[in-house]
Amino acid sequence: MSGTKPAEPGKRSLHLRILDDLEGNILSGRWPPGHRIPFEHELTEAYGCSRMTVNKALTELVRRGLIERRRKSGSFVSRPQSQSAVMEIRDIKAEVQSLGALYRYRRISRAERAAGPAERKRFDLAAGARWVDVVAVHLAGPRPFCLEERLISIDAVPEARDEGFEQGAPGPWLIAHLPWSAAEHRISAVAADARVATLLGIEPNAACLVIERRTWSGGATVTHVRLTYPAGSHELVAEFAPSQHR
Amino acid sequence: MSGTKPAEPGKRSLHLRILDDLEGNILSGRWPPGHRIPFEHELTEAYGCSRMTVNKALTELVRRGLIERRRKSGSFVSRPQSQSAVMEIRDIKAEVQSLGALYRYRRISRAERAAGPAERKRFDLAAGARWVDVVAVHLAGPRPFCLEERLISIDAVPEARDEGFEQGAPGPWLIAHLPWSAAEHRISAVAADARVATLLGIEPNAACLVIERRTWSGGATVTHVRLTYPAGSHELVAEFAPSQHR
DNA sequence: CAGTGGTCTAGACCACAGT
DNA sequence: CTGTGGTCTAGACCACTGC
């Protein structure tokens, strides 16, 4: 009377198929943040399986941070957490303030322009793609702390057209306007060129830490940011403990 | 007839307790890599619960990479994978070779010495703790690629006493001799001082990327390494996609 | 109070790898 | 063939929370 559904040959197990389906709906944006996903008993019916099976998929989505669950209310698509939970790249404002310094933000320039051919290739953009191109400096007290060079795809985030980014940095603004996305970080050291040295108030050729983050969703780049920190002002820390059940 | 064990108040759920117990045995080293952990039916008996419950804990251990399971044979403690699966910090040799260059390794010095007071404090070491202190250069073709400054705790890895590290780098050697451990990375940019500049064949004050990795197990630091790359020779890449079921 | 998720059971069939 | 893990079922009781 029990022990059925032995997983047909060549097929992934049922709970993985359910997981893929749900995750697909979330990552594609079909189910935006805040959306209530079907109840367990509804999924049970839809897939013709027992509750434990759908529960396994839903539990995994919780672990991945894609949904949050509340008794009596249901399960809801989470809002993407700031940047990346893996490598703690926090909000620059919070970082400066945690150093005990006064945080200030100064926009240097903002332009709207077409993506060049090299950019289109590097960032998987369609022909005719356009950027909002922002340059800004984050300050800790009197000293420049970090130079931000930001590109935002107008196709992906059309609201960026109406934003001057004069008062607030693009990063926090984007978090509220971005769908679920993947990110890639590149971290390197460079010698400051003349322009960067001027903007950061350091000597030309001084050592800098550069963090580039490319964020994309559904194949195309959504935003790209290059953060340049004078040597010594910033350290990236990542801890990899084998376990940390919150 | 069913529906028992409602999780006593104040207690974590049973599968989490089982998970903690097993994980404790692995991370403490009581169950070394390769050790066969109890079969599901044995755990079922030991905890007086159903198979699904122990399976939930074991499945989570697989997900965390702490065990591997083979039908008919059982479940075994995994060997710690090279460095960190999260941030791809690969073997330096492999990295150089993937650039198409000839890899060479040159040990500069090796010493055995007591840890200083500052080190003991920073690294949670007992009084009288001793290091094996190795300095070496990794080369890509004719050019220095990376400077390695390595400390190995003799208490944690006594076999290091018998190793000269003249032929092979400490990193690969350690992977075979280390128990499960946690790691913390610090990434920063620095200007090369005179000594580093000489060893790497670059100008003094040239920009360098520095990766420091501290590895510890059971409270005390096992090894600490500082890798210094000339700017441009090395980039750290980390991708954070929301999903990647292997 | 009622509906949802959180957890658990006591089985079951199957695939797979050692013997 | 046998023993292990992989998966699934059809229930169950409980805790929490919104109404």
Side-chain angles (χ1 to χ4, degrees):
Chain A
M1 219 67 42
S2 46
T4 7
K5 290 281 173 43
E8 290 143 51
K11 272 200 168 167
R12 319 187 55 194
S13 54
L14 181 53
H15 70 266
L16 286 182
R17 289 209 312 109
I18 299 176
L19 176 63
D20 284 349
D21 289 352
L22 299 175
E23 195 181 51
N25 280 319
I26 296 171
L27 295 183
S28 68
R30 267 190 298 281
W31 290 347
H35 179 88
R36 211 212 76 224
I37 77 175
F39 298 125
E40 289 193 353
H41 70 82
E42 292 173 328
L43 292 169
T44 282
E45 251 183 75
Y47 286 95
C49 66
S50 82
R51 205 185 133 208
M52 275 239 74
T53 303
V54 306
N55 184 276
K56 194 164 186 172
L58 292 169
T59 298
E60 175 64 14
L61 286 177
V62 169
R63 202 200 53 76
R64 298 189 186 178
L66 288 174
I67 67 170
E68 289 161 20
R69 315 193 69 189
R70 282 194 302 279
R71 283 163 168 133
K72 170 80 181 189
S73 309
S75 305
F76 301 84
V77 177
S78 306
R79 199 156 297 281
Q81 66 280 63
S82 61
Q83 324 292 2
S84 146
V86 183
M87 189 191 305
E88 278 306 323
I89 297 181
R90 274 195 301 279
D91 189 33
I92 296 169
K93 180 175 180 179
E95 189 187 355
V96 168
Q97 290 174 335
S98 79
L99 293 171
L102 173 68
Y103 173 77
R104 282 181 301 150
Y105 165 83
R106 192 153 56 89
R107 200 204 66 185
I108 305 295
S109 67
R110 178 194 184 283
E112 207 178 304
R113 63 173 176 83
E119 287 178 336
R120 286 210 306 276
K121 185 173 172 221
R122 177 172 173 203
F123 297 129
D124 287 316
L125 298 171
R130 295 182 66 77
W131 295 122
V132 171
D133 182 336
V134 179
V135 178
V137 173
H138 303 261
L139 299 104
R143 254 188 24 255
F145 179 74
C146 167
L147 172 65
E148 170 167 356
E149 297 165 279
R150 170 79 70 171
L151 301 174
I152 303 169
S153 161
I154 292 179
D155 286 335
V157 196
E159 305 94 314
R161 279 200 126 119
D162 306 321
E163 258 292 325
F165 300 110
E166 284 177 338
Q167 301 307 318
W173 182 88
L174 272 166
I175 289 175
H177 291 78
L178 270 192
W180 272 100
S181 53
E184 183 190 71
H185 294 81
R186 311 185 84 87
I187 301 153
S188 57
V190 302
D193 61 24
R195 175 173 147 277
V196 169
T198 303
L199 287 168
L200 286 177
I202 57 179
E203 297 293 313
N205 291 320
C208 293
L209 183 68
V210 171
I211 301 168
E212 286 185 285
R213 176 169 51 238
R214 181 182 151 233
T215 304
W216 69 92
S217 186
T221 296
V222 170
T223 181
H224 178 272
V225 63
R226 180 181 166 97
L227 301 169
T228 306
Y229 297 84
S233 75
H234 182 71
E235 239 180 6
L236 266 177
V237 178
E239 180 166 331
F240 304 128
S243 88
Q244 66 269 18
H245 1 138
R246 41 204 152 301
Chain B
M1 219 77 41
S2 46
T4 7
K5 290 281 173 42
E8 290 143 51
K11 272 198 166 168
R12 318 187 55 194
S13 54
L14 181 52
H15 70 267
L16 285 182
R17 287 208 316 107
I18 300 176
L19 176 63
D20 283 350
D21 289 352
L22 300 175
E23 194 182 51
N25 281 318
I26 296 171
L27 295 183
S28 68
R30 268 190 299 280
W31 290 347
H35 178 88
R36 210 212 76 224
I37 77 176
F39 296 125
E40 289 193 353
H41 70 82
E42 293 173 327
L43 292 170
T44 281
E45 252 183 73
Y47 286 94
C49 66
S50 81
R51 206 185 132 209
M52 274 240 73
T53 304
V54 307
N55 184 277
K56 193 163 185 172
L58 292 169
T59 299
E60 175 64 14
L61 286 177
V62 169
R63 201 201 54 77
R64 297 188 187 181
L66 288 173
I67 66 171
E68 289 161 19
R69 315 194 70 189
R70 283 195 300 280
R71 282 163 168 136
K72 171 79 180 184
S73 310
S75 306
F76 300 85
V77 177
S78 307
R79 201 156 295 282
Q81 65 281 60
S82 62
Q83 324 292 5
S84 147
V86 183
M87 189 189 307
E88 279 305 324
I89 297 181
R90 274 195 301 279
D91 189 34
I92 297 169
K93 180 176 181 178
E95 189 186 355
V96 168
Q97 290 175 336
S98 79
L99 293 171
L102 173 68
Y103 173 77
R104 282 180 302 150
Y105 165 82
R106 192 153 58 88
R107 199 205 65 186
I108 306 294
S109 68
R110 177 195 185 282
E112 206 178 306
R113 64 174 176 82
E119 287 178 337
R120 286 210 306 275
K121 185 173 171 222
R122 178 172 173 204
F123 297 131
D124 287 317
L125 298 171
R130 295 183 67 76
W131 295 122
V132 172
D133 182 336
V134 180
V135 177
V137 173
H138 303 261
L139 299 104
R143 254 192 20 260
F145 179 74
C146 168
L147 171 66
E148 171 167 356
E149 298 166 279
R150 169 79 69 170
L151 300 175
I152 303 169
S153 162
I154 292 178
D155 286 336
V157 197
E159 305 94 313
R161 279 199 126 119
D162 306 322
E163 259 291 325
F165 300 112
E166 283 176 338
Q167 300 308 318
W173 181 89
L174 273 166
I175 289 174
H177 292 78
L178 271 192
W180 272 99
S181 53
E184 183 189 73
H185 293 82
R186 310 185 83 88
I187 302 153
S188 56
V190 303
D193 61 23
R195 175 174 148 276
V196 168
T198 304
L199 287 168
L200 286 178
I202 57 179
E203 297 293 314
N205 292 320
C208 293
L209 183 68
V210 171
I211 302 168
E212 286 185 286
R213 176 169 51 238
R214 180 181 152 235
T215 304
W216 69 90
S217 186
T221 296
V222 171
T223 181
H224 178 271
V225 62
R226 181 182 166 95
L227 301 170
T228 306
Y229 297 84
S233 77
H234 183 71
E235 238 181 7
L236 268 176
V237 178
E239 180 166 332
F240 304 128
S243 88
Q244 68 268 18
H245 0 137
R246 40 201 152 303

